[in-house]
Amino acid sequence: MTQESHRGRWSAGKDAAAAVLLNADVRPETKIWRYLDFAKFLSLLSTSSLYFSRIDQLDDNLEGSPTASQLERVEAILRDHPDHRSLDALSMARIARRWVYVSCWHENENEDRAMWKLYGKEDNTIAVVSTAHRLANAVLGVAGTYMFSIVARVLYIDHREDEFAAVANAQVVEPFVHKDRAYAYEKEIRALLCSEQWWKLDSSAEPDASGVMVPVVLEELIAEIVVPPGSPVFIENAVREILHDRYRLKVPVVRSRLDRPGLLD
């Protein structure tokens, strides 16, 4: 189905269904950003798909990890009720990480200079602006094919000292919406797709790929495109031409607010 055929207002029923995917701590209008290098931006456009990475493929080795106290509780349960696969709590947690996919976004009412530097090479970076509701709506199309789907704010903890906060939609996803405090600067909101009943799989089971491509309607996902601060005018023009002429997308393209004249200029 083409982008053109999807244009127009979302139905009330679709909006309500997407809202169910939002965890209680995320308001639908929450503004979110995804800073992409230009190659990934072009991939988003050419495939009309949002890439979800497997949790265990991310750099943080605590991604998807239980807390120390949770591991102790599971081990205590396993002593009385051994796992049918003869696995311990650590092995079970490692299996779970293979079957959870994530799309990570930065929550902010405004653009962030540090994010430009962190996730790209300044003028080789594009910022995609969306909202939590738009992201949930994008996930809605594939939600039925996964065991659990959720859009939630990441909470930052010390896995050795703290407990997980409650996740209203599905307790089983708690390890995947908590990260180490060292990453608090990310202010992350993420969409999760939890595949397979991992509690039934043994350690030899392995997904086919390191991530999944989720088809999206780009005009429903993207509220705005921001070109990087200090970038030449030709980059702004090129982005606008790619969006409007090549892909026929009616998405606003704006320059970074950091390029506005100063009050003393």
Side-chain angles (χ1 to χ4, degrees):
M1 191 172 291
T2 65
Q3 294 286 333
E4 190 73 37
S5 65
H6 281 90
R7 288 176 181 160
R9 295 181 61 84
W10 305 337
S11 70
K14 190 175 183 181
D15 274 351
V20 171
L21 298 181
L22 292 174
N23 195 43
D25 64 345
V26 182
R27 297 179 62 84
E29 65 272 18
T30 300
K31 194 172 182 179
I32 56 176
W33 301 68
R34 188 160 171 82
Y35 293 82
L36 301 171
D37 66 40
F38 207 73
K40 291 180 179 177
F41 173 64
L42 291 178
S43 175
L44 171 67
L45 298 183
S46 64
T47 64
S48 293
S49 297
L50 192 59
Y51 181 73
F52 281 65
S53 175
R54 263 170 50 186
I55 284 277
D56 68 335
Q57 300 295 304
L58 301 179
D59 292 336
D60 177 13
N61 60 9
L62 283 171
E63 279 279 10
S65 170
T67 60
S69 58
Q70 186 181 52
L71 281 173
E72 291 176 1
R73 288 193 296 272
V74 173
E75 286 292 358
I77 293 171
L78 291 174
R79 283 194 289 271
D80 295 329
H81 305 282
D83 179 72
H84 71 281
R85 300 158 295 180
S86 300
L87 297 176
D88 59 17
L90 274 175
S91 299
M92 294 168 68
R94 290 180 183 126
I95 292 172
R97 295 173 78 235
R98 301 176 193 169
W99 301 95
V100 179
Y101 303 89
V102 62
S103 175
C104 306
W105 296 70
H106 171 69
E107 177 185 359
N108 208 321
E109 277 301 307
N110 299 294
E111 64 185 282
D112 190 303
R113 178 66 171 177
M115 293 293 118
W116 285 116
K117 291 180 175 292
L118 184 64
Y119 288 104
K121 298 178 180 178
E122 293 287 342
D123 59 5
N124 189 38
T125 309
I126 298 295
V128 176
V129 185
S130 189
T131 65
H133 183 83
R134 285 173 178 263
L135 181 58
N137 183 70
V139 173
L140 184 63
V142 298
T145 63
Y146 288 85
M147 294 297 300
F148 300 100
S149 305
I150 188 174
V151 174
R153 179 176 286 110
V154 171
L155 304 176
Y156 301 94
I157 64 170
D158 184 330
H159 285 72
R160 292 168 178 81
E161 302 291 337
D162 299 332
E163 296 285 357
F164 290 144
V167 179
N169 294 44
Q171 185 176 3
V172 73
V173 306
E174 286 176 354
F176 312 111
V177 295
H178 288 79
K179 293 186 67 171
D180 187 81
R181 290 176 182 170
Y183 293 89
Y185 66 90
E186 293 178 341
K187 296 194 291 186
E188 185 180 333
I189 284 181
R190 55 176 41 176
L192 282 176
L193 298 171
C194 305
S195 179
E196 300 293 337
Q197 299 183 39
W198 59 75
W199 50 90
K200 296 182 179 180
L201 300 173
D202 61 34
S203 57
S204 65
E206 189 76 22
D208 293 333
S210 60
V212 295
M213 300 290 284
V214 173
V216 298
V217 180
L218 294 175
E219 284 183 322
E220 292 186 1
L221 173 66
I222 303 173
E224 186 176 72
I225 296 295
V226 182
V227 296
S231 58
V233 173
F234 75 81
I235 290 182
E236 178 184 357
N237 292 338
V239 171
R240 188 172 284 111
E241 180 180 351
I242 290 169
L243 279 169
H244 299 167
D245 297 341
R246 184 182 302 179
Y247 292 103
R248 306 297 184 191
L249 297 174
K250 296 179 180 178
V251 175
V253 177
V254 301
R255 293 196 64 82
S256 165
R257 63 180 281 122
L258 297 170
D259 284 344
R260 297 181 303 177
L263 294 177
L264 300 180
D265 290 347

